Amino acid sequence: MNWEGISEFVFVAESESFTLASKKLAISTAQVSRQISALERRLDVKLFYRTTRKVALTEEGRIFYQHCRSVLDGLDAAERAITNLQSTPKGKIKMTAPVTFGEHYILPLLNNFMAQHNEIEINAYLSNHQIDLVDGGYDLAIRVGNLADSTMMAKKLGSRTNYVCASPSYITQFGTPHTLSELNKHNCLLGTLDSWHFKGDGRDLNVRVKGKLRYNSGFGLVDAALKGLGIVQLPDYYVQQYLENGELVSLLDNHRVPDEGIWALYPQNRHLSPKIRFLVDYLAAELS
C-alpha cells in the first residue's frame, strides 16, 4: 500500500500535468487524480497547487519528490542490473552528434556497429545545437570540446586537434607568421567566429583575426586554404589528410591549444542498458 500513488506523483511532478502523466502511464487522468488524492490523504499533506492552467509542487511536494525520484531511479537501476547480466544489445537508440564530425566519423561507425548487432535500431540526428537530451527523449549525445552541462554523465571517447594551416603557395607568396601578432598581416579565412583560439604565456588566448572571406562551412574553408587564399584554423578531421600529403602546412604549432575531448553524454542516475553500454564502449575503442 505504501507504494500506491508514487509513480503517479513523480510523473505529475515532472510533467506538471495530470493529463501528460496519464498518457505516460497509459491510465486515465481520473485514475491519476484519485491516486494523488489518496497519497495526499495518507501523508496528510498537500503535494500540489492546482489551478485550471497549472500544476505546481508545494514545498512539501518538492521534498517528497526528491526522495521518490531517487527511490524509483534505484529500483530501475536494480532491475536493469539484474536483467543486463544475460542481456544482449537490442532495441532502439536515439542519439545526436555534431554535423561534420557525425558525418565523417560517427555515422560510419554506427553503420559498422549495426552490422555487428542486427537487433539494434538507431535514430541519429546531426545538429550543432546543444539539444536537451531529457526533453528530446535522447539516450545519448556525442559532444566535442568543453562540456558545459553538469547534469549529464560523460565518458571520454577520444580527442581532436585544432590546426592553423595554409598552403605552400600561400606561404611562398605571403610568408609564414611566427607570432600571433603577425596574423594581422595575413588574410585569415573566417568561419562563424571572429577570433581564433590559442595558448600563450601559460593561458588560453582568443585572438581576433580578419580576412576577406567568411564561410559557415569547414569544407569551403579547407578548399579556400588549399587554393592559396589564406590561413585557416580547423579541427583535424578537416585538414589531417592535407597536412600528411603536404598540401597544407601547420603553422604556429607552439601556440596550439591542448587537444579537445570527444565525449559521450547521457542522463544522470541511469544504469546504462546493454545497447547504450555496448555502443559507447565501441565508439571509445574506435575513436581513441
Side-chain angles (χ1 to χ4, degrees):
M1 290 295 294
N2 289 338
W3 286 101
E4 288 189 4
I6 298 299
S7 294
E8 290 85 350
F9 164 71
V10 169
F11 276 91
V12 172
E14 292 178 343
S15 64
E16 298 182 343
S17 168
F18 280 74
T19 302
L20 292 178
S22 69
K23 291 180 179 179
K24 291 182 178 180
L25 291 166
I27 59 177
S28 69
T29 304
Q31 185 175 350
V32 172
S33 181
R34 285 195 297 270
Q35 291 284 32
I36 297 296
S37 296
L39 181 62
E40 288 179 322
R41 287 194 299 272
R42 190 168 78 243
L43 298 173
D44 193 24
V45 68
K46 189 177 183 66
L47 298 173
F48 293 105
Y49 296 116
R50 301 172 177 85
T51 67
T52 56
R53 292 186 175 183
K54 187 177 181 181
V55 176
L57 286 167
T58 64
E59 180 63 28
E60 295 82 359
R62 282 193 292 271
I63 295 173
F64 191 59
Y65 167 76
Q66 292 172 359
H67 289 280
C68 289
R69 178 72 272 175
S70 177
V71 169
L72 291 181
D73 286 339
L75 286 172
D76 183 58
E79 182 175 343
R80 292 191 183 194
I82 296 300
T83 303
N84 291 346
L85 290 177
Q86 298 181 354
S87 293
T88 56
K90 58 184 177 180
K92 297 180 180 180
I93 299 175
K94 185 178 181 181
M95 61 181 293
T96 181
V99 176
T100 303
F101 186 75
E103 289 177 335
H104 271 250
Y105 291 95
I106 299 301
L107 296 188
L109 289 176
L110 292 182
N111 294 337
N112 295 340
F113 180 78
M114 291 187 69
Q116 300 174 24
H117 304 285
N118 57 14
E119 295 188 58
I120 291 287
E121 297 179 40
I122 295 180
N123 180 355
Y125 176 67
L126 301 185
S127 173
N128 292 328
H129 297 292
Q130 298 290 301
I131 295 174
D132 188 304
L133 301 189
V134 176
D135 286 349
Y138 287 88
D139 301 298
L140 183 67
I142 306 300
R143 300 270 168 84
V144 180
N146 296 324
L147 298 179
D149 192 347
S150 60
T151 65
M152 296 288 124
M153 299 295 289
K155 176 181 176 65
K156 190 173 183 179
L157 303 177
S159 60
R160 75 170 185 183
T161 305
N162 283 306
Y163 288 97
V164 174
C165 49
S167 68
S169 63
Y170 178 89
I171 294 172
T172 299
Q173 185 175 359
F174 298 101
T176 301
H178 297 286
T179 64
L180 299 182
S181 61
E182 291 180 48
L183 286 174
N184 285 329
K185 303 176 183 178
H186 290 268
N187 185 43
C188 295
L189 308 175
L190 300 174
T192 56
L193 302 178
D194 291 323
S195 60
W196 288 353
H197 196 194
F198 295 97
K199 70 172 183 179
D201 299 325
R203 59 192 178 94
D204 290 343
L205 301 172
N206 288 314
V207 177
R208 193 174 183 84
V209 294
K210 58 184 180 180
K212 297 183 292 183
L213 181 151
R214 181 189 295 270
Y215 295 152
N216 67 339
S217 166
F219 295 112
L221 293 173
V222 169
D223 186 69
L226 290 169
K227 293 174 179 175
L229 297 183
I231 299 174
V232 70
Q233 184 181 59
L234 284 170
D236 48 17
Y237 45 84
Y238 285 105
V239 301
Q240 189 70 53
Q241 61 177 315
Y242 304 115
L243 292 171
E244 292 175 357
N245 66 23
E247 291 185 71
L248 291 177
V249 177
S250 180
L251 306 172
L252 298 168
D253 291 346
N254 56 323
H255 290 289
R256 186 185 303 150
V257 294
D259 289 355
E260 297 176 323
I262 301 167
W263 307 89
L265 268 65
Y266 48 90
Q268 281 188 359
N269 300 324
R270 290 190 185 176
H271 185 90
L272 284 182
S273 61
K275 60 184 180 182
I276 305 298
R277 187 178 70 249
F278 272 70
L279 177 56
V280 169
D281 290 344
Y282 174 78
L283 292 175
E286 294 296 320
L287 292 173
S288 63

